[in-house]
Amino acid sequence: MAVFKMRGSLLPLCFLSLLCFLSGSGVTAQGTFNWASYYGNHMVLQQGPHRAVLWGYGEVGATVNVSAWGAETDGFYSTTVYEGYDGRGVWKVTLQPTAAGGPYQFQGVHDNQGMLQWILLKDVMFGDVWVCSGQSNMEFTVRQAFNASYAIAEAADFPDIRLFTADLVQSDKPLYDLDKILQPWSVASSDSVGGADWKYFSAVCWFYGRDLYNHLGYPIGLVATSWGGTPVEAWSSPTVLEKCNITNSHEESEDLQYAGPEVGGPSGHSVLWNAMVHPLLNMTITGAIWYQGEANTGHPDTYSCSFPGMIDSWRKEWYMGSGGQTDPYFPFGFVQLSTTGKPSDTGMGFPAIRWHQTADYGYVPNPAMPNVFMAVAVDLPDAKSPFGSIHPRDKQDVASRLVLAARAVAYGETDVMFHGPRPVSVSVDASTKNIDWIYPKDMNITVKSKDGFEVCCSKDLSQCDMTSKEWSPVPIVSSTSYSITLQLSQDCWEDVTYIRYLWKQWPCDFQECAVYSAENDLPEPPFFGCMLEPDKKPPC
């Protein structure tokens, strides 16, 4: 047993039963010594090869010793409290790389000129820590999703998944620690997973963690920090907004159909970056997943800059905040938006945002978004959702698609087909007025509908933008295992320059878009590109 010296005597850890009781119950002895707000019993710390960080508060100049003991190894770390944010004493230790597993305990001892204080963390696991963020579709809870009763009942079968939810806070300046916590670290159970609507726990975050755990088999920590009805500008640092020349806060799009507490979510620049992301930067993490964009559909043009910029900023700041322990290019996954309204709606905000979510490439990873993965949700609408069609209840398919992509991009599995069909070439037959849309021959496709493709027939290329009316449908008339043939109209074939796919607010019914991969039943994502060079970004 580790021992400490106090005024000339050697005393074992937890030598006073009262102090041990207080520490174990999450209550600290009198004074300023404590863990940071988001450390607690039952938490998950990031496994090796990255090194987890523990930090907290104390008296400036005092010595803090942290002892670890548990599953396989013991450890001892010592540091000195320094003057940190807002003059408050802060201490930090970086643990040695630790393999997945547990449980572990960590005890901190604060020595301020011989006056000792103890704090304790119990039942700590090492595994992968994922941050889940965004607006209402990330805040949307397990209880609100399809098959909620079953999902909540089975949660107790996953005790190695641990959950944490930040409360809703905004700030005009960066906070060093979370101001409020909605759900402290909790072992997965019917209570911790099945909280109240819009409270905890996030459905996409839970199903992602559950499916990831089923594949990896070691502890997963899920940190939910989201707020409904919020634009990307609220989650972005001032540096990103300045780079993208975003100078004014935007109001939410008037055509969105909200049904929940996200109405009136804060839209001020950087206010959620300051209060709900910046405080987490000292935490070592594996990566992040993101479900947001609906609040930007009324002003989509800057999203192709602000969203990739936000990802780059988060990565840089997390790397620096964790002392280089979080990967500077950590994997980042997102959900490409589903839809809202009804099939007849003609709004262009959703198609534009879906495209801009990929930095106008149509796929990820791409040169502007390395180590990024996505789940296409355009074919997962839910017109009957009691929470509004903007909140589809099928979060299980969203999460399973995210996990499939994460296995390939975040975990490097080379044998995983993680995306739907992507075109590699296109040709026009002048005699038949047909377009042959070619996919890789090693990817078999399934065609479920003839609709979804459109071409622009204007000689004036400026008329072939995302929102113009110079577009004509081109139905699928035949297909092979690796190609489709589109039929041009009689008066629309000589001047075809651009082609697009799924460019509607509500492009298809549930899992009934046109083209899917036969191997994984994933849809071809929305597309907007040059007719004869589908891999080239516009303008042609």
Side-chain angles (χ1 to χ4, degrees):
M1 178 179 291
V3 295
F4 292 93
K5 185 174 181 180
M6 183 177 75
R7 295 185 179 178
S9 62
L10 293 176
L11 297 172
L13 291 177
C14 279
F15 73 102
L16 292 176
S17 59
L18 176 60
L19 285 176
C20 292
F21 170 77
L22 290 173
S23 300
S25 64
V27 180
T28 63
Q30 293 293 320
T32 59
F33 184 44
N34 212 336
W35 309 105
S37 68
Y38 47 84
Y39 291 93
N41 297 338
H42 317 302
M43 74 179 302
V44 173
L45 293 174
Q46 180 59 42
Q47 67 166 326
H50 304 293
R51 301 171 66 184
V53 174
L54 292 176
W55 71 278
Y57 304 102
E59 294 286 351
V60 174
T63 297
V64 173
N65 296 308
V66 178
S67 296
W69 67 99
E72 295 182 359
T73 61
D74 296 339
F76 181 84
Y77 308 87
S78 185
T79 189
T80 301
V81 181
Y82 60 92
E83 184 173 326
Y85 174 77
D86 205 21
R88 191 171 182 183
V90 174
W91 58 269
K92 182 188 295 187
V93 296
T94 303
L95 308 180
Q96 291 300 315
T98 304
Y104 286 83
Q105 292 192 61
F106 292 88
Q107 182 168 259
V109 177
H110 179 272
D111 184 349
N112 187 21
Q113 298 181 349
M115 299 300 295
L116 302 188
Q117 293 175 289
W118 279 258
I119 53 177
L120 185 68
L121 291 177
K122 300 190 299 183
D123 186 33
V124 175
M125 308 296 284
F126 280 83
D128 282 350
V129 179
W130 284 88
V131 172
C132 307
S133 189
Q135 59 177 108
S136 56
N137 270 308
M138 184 63 81
E139 197 175 8
F140 192 94
T141 57
V142 175
R143 185 170 294 280
Q144 295 169 279
F146 281 135
N147 302 314
S149 297
Y150 176 80
I152 292 169
E154 73 160 1
D157 297 335
F158 300 93
D160 283 348
I161 303 178
R162 309 296 175 83
L163 318 171
F164 178 93
T165 305
D167 209 345
L168 307 183
V169 178
Q170 59 178 312
S171 174
D172 291 331
K173 62 180 181 179
L175 303 183
Y176 196 66
D177 199 358
L178 290 177
D179 187 58
K180 294 180 181 179
I181 293 170
L182 181 64
Q183 179 186 28
W185 281 102
S186 306
V187 177
S189 68
S190 58
D191 291 332
S192 62
V193 169
D197 292 356
W198 304 110
K199 293 297 183 182
Y200 59 78
F201 191 69
S202 162
V204 169
C205 193
W206 167 251
F207 293 129
Y208 178 80
R210 182 198 65 182
D211 291 357
L212 202 58
Y213 174 83
N214 281 334
H215 181 71
L216 298 174
Y218 55 70
I220 300 292
L222 301 173
V223 179
T225 177
S226 54
W227 193 332
T230 53
V232 71
E233 292 84 0
W235 297 96
S236 302
S237 70
T239 302
V240 174
L241 302 180
E242 181 179 359
K243 177 182 177 182
C244 296
N245 196 28
I246 300 173
T247 57
N248 297 306
S249 296
H250 298 288
E251 298 298 327
E252 296 170 16
S253 176
E254 295 180 357
D255 62 353
L256 298 187
Q257 298 180 7
Y258 288 134
E262 74 284 0
V263 174
S267 60
H269 285 182
S270 305
V271 294
L272 301 183
W273 155 259
N274 290 337
M276 297 180 70
V277 178
H278 190 273
L280 301 174
L281 298 181
N282 285 330
M283 177 189 294
T284 308
I285 65 172
T286 297
I289 59 173
W290 173 261
Y291 197 157
Q292 190 276 336
E294 298 92 339
N296 286 88
T297 55
H299 48 93
D301 292 347
T302 57
Y303 206 87
S304 58
C305 178
S306 57
F307 182 45
M310 188 202 79
I311 295 173
D312 291 344
S313 173
W314 282 26
R315 286 170 165 171
K316 178 182 178 181
E317 297 290 344
W318 233 297
Y319 173 77
M320 295 174 61
S322 65
Q325 301 311 312
T326 296
D327 194 302
Y329 299 100
F330 67 73
F332 192 104
F334 69 90
V335 181
Q336 192 179 45
L337 294 188
S338 182
T339 189
T340 188
K342 50 186 179 294
S344 60
D345 288 347
T346 58
M348 288 290 105
F350 272 76
I353 282 290
R354 294 180 190 122
W355 185 244
H356 294 327
Q357 284 181 298
T358 67
D360 300 352
Y361 281 88
Y363 62 88
V364 291
N366 62 49
M369 305 176 78
N371 212 28
V372 173
F373 58 95
M374 74 174 176
V376 178
V378 67
D379 66 329
L380 303 176
D382 184 6
K384 297 181 179 180
S385 173
F387 310 101
S389 61
I390 199 170
H391 299 122
R393 289 166 289 177
D394 180 13
K395 299 301 194 252
Q396 290 91 333
D397 280 321
V398 168
S400 66
R401 291 176 179 184
L402 274 175
V403 168
L404 191 65
R407 288 172 55 191
V409 176
Y411 291 94
E413 295 186 32
T414 58
D415 59 346
V416 176
M417 181 62 72
F418 66 96
H419 57 76
R422 296 175 183 166
V424 294
S425 65
V426 60
S427 62
V428 180
D429 188 327
S431 62
T432 62
K433 299 181 179 58
N434 286 339
I435 301 173
D436 290 319
W437 193 253
I438 311 299
Y439 302 96
K441 291 187 177 181
D442 60 353
M443 173 180 278
N444 294 324
I445 66 167
T446 299
V447 176
K448 298 184 179 182
S449 167
K450 67 176 183 177
D451 300 319
F453 287 89
E454 298 171 283
V455 294
C456 185
C457 302
S458 175
K459 293 182 179 181
D460 182 359
L461 296 185
S462 66
Q463 296 299 311
C464 294
D465 62 20
M466 295 183 185
T467 61
S468 73
K469 298 180 180 180
E470 300 294 330
W471 292 87
S472 300
V474 282
I476 299 174
V477 293
S478 64
S479 63
T480 71
S481 63
Y482 62 90
S483 69
I484 58 174
T485 299
L486 308 171
Q487 178 66 64
L488 290 165
S489 64
Q490 186 67 29
D491 59 349
C492 179
W493 67 277
E494 290 183 339
D495 300 312
V496 174
T497 304
Y498 289 109
I499 187 167
R500 67 188 189 186
Y501 175 61
L502 301 183
W503 213 262
K504 294 182 178 179
Q505 182 160 304
W506 188 300
C508 65
D509 290 333
F510 186 79
Q511 295 186 351
E512 290 295 333
C513 286
V515 184
Y516 287 77
S517 166
E519 281 83 0
N520 54 27
D521 201 33
L522 293 181
E524 178 174 0
F527 178 84
F528 181 92
C530 304
M531 182 64 187
L532 297 179
E533 297 178 276
D535 59 342
K536 181 180 179 181
K537 292 178 66 176
C540 296

